[in-house]
Amino acid sequence: MMSAMHTPTLYRQWADHYAQAIHSGALPPGERMPSLRDLMARHAVSLSTAVQLCRTLEREGLLEARPRAGYFVRPRRPLASLQEPQPSAPDVAQYVGIHQRVSEVLALSQRYPAKVNLSGSCGAPSLYPGAALRLATQRALRAQPDIFSQPLAMAGCAPFLQALAQHALDAQMTLSPDELVVTHGCTEALTLALRAVAQPGEVIAVESPTYYGLLQILESLGLQALEIPASPHTGLSLEALEMAARQCPGLKAVAVTPNLHNPLGCVMPDAHKRQLLRWCQRHDIALIEDNTYTPLYDAGPPLAAIKAWDDSGQVIVCSSLHKILAPGLRLGWIAGGKWHERIAMLKYSQSRPNELLPQLAMTDYLSSGALPRHLSTLKRTLRHQREQMADAVDRLFPAGCRFSLPPGGMSIWVELPGELSSLAVFHAALQQGIRISPGVMFSNAGRVDHCLRLNAGLPYTREVDRAMHTLAQVIEHTLNQAPAGRGKATHA
Amino acid sequence: MMSAMHTPTLYRQWADHYAQAIHSGALPPGERMPSLRDLMARHAVSLSTAVQLCRTLEREGLLEARPRAGYFVRPRRPLASLQEPQPSAPDVAQYVGIHQRVSEVLALSQRYPAKVNLSGSCGAPSLYPGAALRLATQRALRAQPDIFSQPLAMAGCAPFLQALAQHALDAQMTLSPDELVVTHGCTEALTLALRAVAQPGEVIAVESPTYYGLLQILESLGLQALEIPASPHTGLSLEALEMAARQCPGLKAVAVTPNLHNPLGCVMPDAHKRQLLRWCQRHDIALIEDNTYTPLYDAGPPLAAIKAWDDSGQVIVCSSLHKILAPGLRLGWIAGGKWHERIAMLKYSQSRPNELLPQLAMTDYLSSGALPRHLSTLKRTLRHQREQMADAVDRLFPAGCRFSLPPGGMSIWVELPGELSSLAVFHAALQQGIRISPGVMFSNAGRVDHCLRLNAGLPYTREVDRAMHTLAQVIEHTLNQAPAGRGKATHA
Ligand SMILES: Cc1ncc(COP(=O)(O)O)c(C=O)c1O
Ligand SMILES: Cc1ncc(COP(=O)(O)O)c(C=O)c1O
């Protein structure tokens, strides 16, 4: 960046640097500029250079000064020639208390159209039994002509609860239909579990990194996330949990994804599952278990849920059919253990029971016996796609990148070399029409800011391959821009 | 589950697993066991283990073999002496913090089957365009074959948002589709509105009495309800609001149902609507407006929403198609005004976007132009039914009962003589198979404990008439049992 070919003045050099960051979107509209003190320290310049740098960018229309708050990247004005209305960056003040960083990344992802979306955690539509579910829906419509006109019973849809209880047996959970509540995806299940066991201000232990949706829920409910390091091989560190709990006596719950963790893809060994359960029982701490990906394990016999060993109602299971059967349906469920009644009432109070039609259609599908065959095809396809994507990372990404190859699911987790900012990569990739999930979303503690998650749920087409090439270049480029002493040099 | 303590044989372990599933009801009587092949694949066991597992359970009387069809869970033999299991009362400790009294009434209502349910606030199924919506659903299924397999876009379903914006014009609200968010009913809309504007511990002004669902939401979010008396003729008392606000400076929002209030049935005059809006604007207090019943007004030209006058984004509109079009669908919406972005993100974080199918079907229905005709029939029918029910109250209930005859909707609000406890009436009526909504649900302040709400949404059949006779007797009886100094004597 800082070529010395014709040595412009120092403030001009740095002004150009920031102008480029702004144009690239790395410093998005609305973003706060580093303070004058920060600029001085970062670039080893004098106060007057820092001031001149900011004033220059202000004159050029890139920054605006806000009284007592400093300089901010100016919201973009629509250019006359521009076709699509230029999407403005979200106003982050809107997201205070809903996890600002995660919300901002999500909102930006929404506003910039992506040609190739590698940010999700979901299979391609072709991997799901859409036609069978459509037929099942038509059958349900014929069987229950009154379906849209009957008010919904608080107790839910008995045949679907029954089908879910049966499905849960695959993960060795023996649940009675009347201890289940149907929810809007695992997301609502997690929301309800947390609302049931904790009050605002209280502390919940989570894996670090963890699913960003959980961080959003926690913060928006006013709960404190206590991040416990998770191993990419065995998940949550039980020693770290015990240590943390000793320092934080009011712990209300531990929320984990023991099987095919998002984003790491790891599986907690059965011995750890039992140990964690006993520990939670002993300390009367709720164990919130997210089983979203459990059926997608393909490296051996089916995985057991922690709930399989729960003899006291300490485990709240949250799950969903989203990832395995129907990304376009919001069918989740929760088994609340000893908090069941409370959770059922919170569900009623928050959104009322789920609609019947999708539940009846899914019951029809599940009882047709088609699930095992579908799952085995799905798992085979996902495995192949994971291998292809991991292979591309291996071939294309700069030296020093490391990646996971998990035993199921669709996520590839990539560690970038050095302390490269995944947020910079995210912004630069977005400019190229490629969407990824930057590591910063998965932890408050900054432990994985240099990582990113890729979705191997899509068939590895030419277009995806091209996107992987572009992404590799973006990473390379971002590496080269990283200040000396960080980035590739130290790791190549 | 698979503890290694005394390592039973493999088939015995799995036999125990299935025995437990059968006893818990997860595998119900008559259900087909997984095939031998399935068992082998699922549990990674040999054929002979799978066979032994099934034979063992057969011997133990849990399975039966059917020729060429496999093993089935054995049908339970009816027990000669057993009646219906006696429903146990809910454990109220479960509901601490979710409005214990409302939760208890709801839970009891669930457990005792009611022959005649007058507790709802909803029309009979025959009043709604179920067939048209079913056809619209089938069209949507044909038009979007991928509908269940595509992940849902965060931005929602554009044509439905468009249709809602157009529908909102009927209440004189000019809304752009991109300031709307689709929710799971008005219930989720209210939840989101409150989460967006207030933190736990903060205060929200509500009408007294008010819709019990709102009280549940408030308490479960840790918000304080400040009850402002509402007139049965003009709704919220603005003087009382101003006085209360002076004593309670941190007021965050006022939540009102200005049109066809639940339970009172009253309508706030337009002058009050404007005055309330200006007051909220002046004090920067959010105005949460519940418009659920607005289209059901039948005593003059359509009512305007408060939002119609909102020039600053101060009003958050919460509404739903539940009461006017489809009690079996959960289609609600929210227009968040200046809190829109925040509400959209909270919705994403709490439950993710709504499914597409009902939105597409409803878009189809709304754009067919059938709504005005449907509404006029619905309103005519509801008016007739309200008159019949009010007439029955007048004829049958003890002297001293007073009742509302609102200008739309389906609720009849009855004041019982003296200080008669509506909860006592509720319990006694439930014993007779009749469900009502007792006044205690609609206020924390005890102002309406002697009132009850009846649903005039059902056709006034012989059965309903008989129930009204029984209810009258129950009230009479409860009155006679009331302690001296309360009850009928003071009012006869
Ligand atoms: C671990 C985990 N839990 C929950 C969810 C959300 O599930 P649903 O779509 O069923 O709400 C996801 C989706 O990415 C996830 O990865
Ligand atoms: C005033 C009011 N608001 C909201 C609701 C709930 O609406 P929905 O069923 O759309 O969640 C009701 C239902 O009784 C109501 O009376």
Side-chain angles (χ1 to χ4, degrees):
Chain A
M1 208 283 316
M2 306 274 312
S3 123
M5 301 249 313
H6 44 81
T7 34
T9 53
L10 202 55
Y11 80 82
R12 183 69 255 177
Q13 285 180 358
W14 286 112
D16 286 345
H17 170 72
Y18 281 100
Q20 208 183 324
I22 291 166
H23 288 307
S24 78
L27 266 180
E31 182 79 26
R32 185 201 295 271
M33 268 292 276
S35 69
L36 295 176
R37 275 182 65 147
D38 279 351
L39 288 170
M40 289 163 64
R42 255 190 224 201
H43 309 306
V45 296
S46 68
L47 176 61
S48 81
T49 300
V51 169
Q52 239 177 325
L53 142 61
C54 290
R55 293 228 174 114
T56 304
L57 291 172
E58 190 185 7
R59 247 193 337 272
E60 292 170 358
L62 293 171
L63 294 184
E64 62 185 25
R66 297 191 197 157
R68 271 182 302 282
Y71 284 93
F72 289 75
V73 179
R74 189 143 172 196
R76 232 176 256 123
R77 274 153 310 180
L79 296 174
S81 62
L82 225 59
Q83 308 274 319
E84 276 296 293
Q86 186 61 17
S88 60
D91 172 6
V92 295
Q94 292 268 5
Y95 305 133
V96 170
I98 327 177
H99 210 298
Q100 196 169 306
R101 197 173 31 190
V102 169
S103 298
E104 202 183 334
V105 168
L106 291 170
L108 275 174
S109 299
Q110 275 320 103
R111 303 218 175 162
Y112 289 78
K115 284 196 299 284
V116 180
N117 182 0
L118 302 177
S119 75
S121 164
C122 180
S126 58
L127 302 187
Y128 296 99
L133 286 172
R134 218 163 59 241
L135 289 173
T137 305
Q138 273 153 354
R139 278 192 294 271
L141 276 173
R142 278 194 297 271
Q144 301 232 9
D146 250 11
I147 197 161
F148 299 134
S149 305
Q150 290 275 8
L152 296 162
M154 196 172 165
C157 172
F160 184 53
L161 295 172
Q162 181 69 60
L164 286 176
Q166 213 169 325
H167 168 61
L169 288 171
D170 292 350
Q172 299 176 35
M173 291 181 270
T174 311
L175 302 170
S176 140
D178 57 15
E179 54 186 316
L180 303 179
V181 175
V182 174
T183 59
H184 297 295
C186 189
T187 301
E188 191 181 42
L190 290 168
T191 303
L192 294 169
L194 291 165
R195 294 189 66 190
V197 302
Q199 295 301 311
E202 292 182 331
V203 181
I204 311 292
V206 301
E207 293 145 318
S208 179
T210 190
Y211 169 48
Y212 59 78
L214 181 61
L215 294 178
Q216 261 196 331
I217 297 171
L218 284 167
E219 190 172 314
S220 73
L221 293 175
L223 298 171
Q224 308 283 327
L226 178 65
E227 295 195 23
I228 311 294
S231 139
H233 306 292
T234 58
L236 188 79
S237 158
L238 301 180
E239 300 70 46
L241 174 63
E242 289 189 28
M243 267 178 50
R246 272 197 294 275
Q247 280 154 23
C248 172
L251 196 62
K252 284 294 159 168
V254 182
V256 290
T257 303
N259 296 332
L260 299 175
H261 180 270
N262 177 6
L264 295 174
C266 57
V267 172
M268 188 185 279
D270 280 357
H272 289 206
K273 289 176 183 168
R274 283 197 301 264
Q275 201 182 330
L276 175 60
L277 171 62
R278 298 302 166 229
W279 185 84
C280 287
Q281 287 175 327
R282 209 156 50 239
H283 296 85
D284 197 11
I285 290 170
L287 208 177
I288 299 174
E289 174 179 30
D290 182 335
N291 262 307
T292 302
Y293 298 97
T294 303
L296 296 181
Y297 179 73
D298 64 28
L303 294 172
I306 301 180
K307 184 74 178 175
W309 291 278
D310 182 17
D311 45 12
S312 69
Q314 200 70 22
V315 178
I316 303 177
V317 181
C318 299
S319 197
S320 150
L321 302 178
H322 175 172
K323 311 286 180 186
I324 62 168
L325 274 171
L329 290 178
R330 298 293 307 141
L331 286 176
W333 54 276
I334 186 166
K338 57 188 182 188
W339 294 273
H340 167 70
E341 299 278 334
R342 184 170 182 77
I343 284 169
M345 191 55 76
L346 280 170
K347 162 67 175 159
Y348 179 83
S349 137
Q350 171 172 307
S351 69
R352 300 281 181 273
N354 280 43
E355 289 166 6
L356 279 186
L357 187 58
Q359 300 184 67
L360 291 174
M362 194 53 92
T363 306
D364 179 321
Y365 178 85
L366 288 173
S367 60
S368 76
L371 182 64
R373 258 168 303 139
H374 159 65
L375 275 181
S376 92
T377 314
L378 175 63
K379 289 192 290 187
R380 199 170 46 242
T381 311
L382 288 178
R383 170 150 47 171
H384 182 54
Q385 292 174 183
R386 283 197 313 275
E387 285 166 357
Q388 287 175 300
M389 180 156 281
D391 181 57
V393 171
D394 198 25
R395 275 186 293 112
L396 306 173
F397 280 26
C401 285
R402 291 191 295 198
F403 58 91
S404 66
L405 188 47
M410 56 280 274
S411 292
I412 300 286
W413 182 243
V414 181
E415 264 181 53
L416 302 176
E419 293 174 21
L420 193 57
S421 153
S422 61
L423 203 54
V425 173
F426 164 77
H427 283 290
L430 213 49
Q431 298 295 321
Q432 307 289 326
I434 299 166
R435 198 186 294 163
I436 56 143
S437 289
V440 291
M441 298 176 82
F442 299 91
S443 160
N444 297 329
R447 288 184 63 237
V448 288
D449 286 2
H450 63 300
C451 300
L452 53 88
R453 194 191 67 186
L454 298 176
N455 181 18
L458 313 176
Y460 198 80
T461 57
R462 283 245 186 96
E463 197 184 18
V464 171
D465 189 58
R466 264 198 303 276
M468 290 295 286
H469 274 90
T470 310
L471 194 55
Q473 283 161 12
V474 163
I475 294 170
E476 188 78 53
H477 189 75
T478 316
L479 265 176
N480 292 338
Q481 287 198 326
R486 311 167 88 198
K488 198 176 188 180
T490 56
H491 276 73
Chain B
M1 210 274 323
M2 308 273 313
S3 124
M5 301 252 310
H6 44 81
T7 33
T9 52
L10 202 56
Y11 80 82
R12 184 69 256 176
Q13 285 182 357
W14 288 113
D16 286 345
H17 172 71
Y18 281 100
Q20 210 182 324
I22 290 166
H23 289 307
S24 78
L27 270 179
E31 185 71 39
R32 183 201 296 271
M33 267 292 275
S35 69
L36 295 176
R37 274 182 63 146
D38 278 352
L39 290 171
M40 290 164 65
R42 256 189 224 201
H43 308 307
V45 295
S46 68
L47 176 62
S48 80
T49 302
V51 169
Q52 237 178 325
L53 140 62
C54 290
R55 293 226 175 114
T56 305
L57 291 172
E58 191 185 6
R59 245 189 344 267
E60 291 171 359
L62 293 172
L63 295 185
E64 64 186 22
R66 296 191 197 156
R68 270 182 301 281
Y71 284 94
F72 289 76
V73 180
R74 193 143 169 196
R76 227 178 260 124
R77 275 152 305 182
L79 292 176
S81 61
L82 220 64
Q83 310 273 317
E84 273 296 292
Q86 186 59 19
S88 59
D91 172 8
V92 296
Q94 292 268 3
Y95 305 132
V96 170
I98 327 176
H99 209 299
Q100 196 170 307
R101 196 172 33 189
V102 169
S103 298
E104 201 182 334
V105 169
L106 291 170
L108 275 174
S109 300
Q110 276 319 105
R111 303 220 173 160
Y112 288 78
K115 283 196 300 283
V116 180
N117 181 0
L118 302 176
S119 76
S121 164
C122 179
S126 59
L127 302 188
Y128 295 99
L133 286 171
R134 219 163 58 240
L135 289 173
T137 305
Q138 273 153 353
R139 278 193 293 272
L141 276 173
R142 277 195 297 273
Q144 301 232 8
D146 250 10
I147 196 161
F148 299 134
S149 304
Q150 290 276 8
L152 296 162
M154 197 174 164
C157 173
F160 184 54
L161 294 171
Q162 183 68 58
L164 286 176
Q166 213 168 324
H167 169 60
L169 289 171
D170 293 350
Q172 298 175 37
M173 291 181 270
T174 312
L175 301 170
S176 138
D178 57 15
E179 54 186 315
L180 303 179
V181 175
V182 174
T183 60
H184 296 295
C186 189
T187 301
E188 191 182 41
L190 290 168
T191 302
L192 294 169
L194 291 165
R195 294 189 66 191
V197 303
Q199 295 301 310
E202 292 182 332
V203 181
I204 311 293
V206 300
E207 294 146 316
S208 180
T210 190
Y211 168 49
Y212 60 77
L214 180 62
L215 293 179
Q216 261 196 331
I217 298 170
L218 284 167
E219 190 171 314
S220 73
L221 293 175
L223 298 170
Q224 308 283 327
L226 178 65
E227 294 196 23
I228 312 293
S231 139
H233 305 293
T234 56
L236 188 79
S237 158
L238 301 181
E239 301 69 44
L241 175 63
E242 289 190 29
M243 266 178 49
R246 271 198 294 276
Q247 279 154 24
C248 171
L251 196 64
K252 285 293 159 168
V254 182
V256 290
T257 303
N259 297 332
L260 299 175
H261 179 270
N262 177 6
L264 296 175
C266 58
V267 172
M268 188 186 280
D270 281 356
H272 289 207
K273 289 177 181 167
R274 282 196 301 266
Q275 200 183 330
L276 175 60
L277 171 62
R278 298 303 166 229
W279 184 84
C280 286
Q281 288 176 327
R282 209 158 47 242
H283 296 85
D284 197 12
I285 289 170
L287 208 176
I288 299 173
E289 175 179 28
D290 181 335
N291 263 305
T292 301
Y293 298 97
T294 303
L296 296 181
Y297 178 72
D298 63 29
L303 294 172
I306 302 180
K307 184 74 178 174
W309 290 276
D310 182 17
D311 46 13
S312 69
Q314 200 68 23
V315 178
I316 302 176
V317 181
C318 298
S319 196
S320 151
L321 302 178
H322 175 173
K323 311 286 181 187
I324 63 169
L325 274 170
L329 290 177
R330 298 294 306 143
L331 286 176
W333 54 277
I334 185 166
K338 57 187 182 188
W339 293 274
H340 167 69
E341 300 277 335
R342 184 170 181 77
I343 285 169
M345 191 56 76
L346 280 170
K347 161 68 175 159
Y348 180 83
S349 137
Q350 172 172 307
S351 69
R352 301 280 181 273
N354 280 42
E355 289 166 8
L356 279 186
L357 187 58
Q359 300 185 66
L360 291 174
M362 195 53 93
T363 306
D364 179 320
Y365 178 85
L366 289 173
S367 59
S368 75
L371 182 63
R373 257 168 303 139
H374 159 65
L375 275 181
S376 92
T377 313
L378 176 63
K379 289 191 290 188
R380 199 171 46 244
T381 311
L382 288 178
R383 170 151 47 171
H384 182 54
Q385 292 175 183
R386 284 198 311 276
E387 285 166 357
Q388 287 175 299
M389 182 157 280
D391 181 57
V393 171
D394 198 25
R395 275 186 294 113
L396 306 173
F397 280 26
C401 285
R402 291 191 295 196
F403 57 91
S404 66
L405 187 47
M410 56 279 274
S411 291
I412 301 285
W413 182 243
V414 181
E415 265 181 51
L416 302 176
E419 293 173 22
L420 193 57
S421 154
S422 61
L423 203 54
V425 174
F426 164 77
H427 282 290
L430 213 49
Q431 298 295 324
Q432 308 289 325
I434 299 166
R435 199 186 293 163
I436 57 142
S437 287
V440 291
M441 298 177 83
F442 299 91
S443 160
N444 297 329
R447 288 184 62 238
V448 288
D449 286 2
H450 62 300
C451 300
L452 54 88
R453 192 191 68 185
L454 299 175
N455 182 18
L458 311 176
Y460 198 80
T461 56
R462 282 245 186 97
E463 198 184 18
V464 172
D465 189 59
R466 264 197 304 276
M468 290 295 285
H469 274 90
T470 310
L471 194 55
Q473 283 160 14
V474 164
I475 294 171
E476 188 77 54
H477 189 75
T478 317
L479 264 177
N480 293 338
Q481 290 197 323
R486 311 168 87 199
K488 199 173 185 179
T490 56
H491 275 72

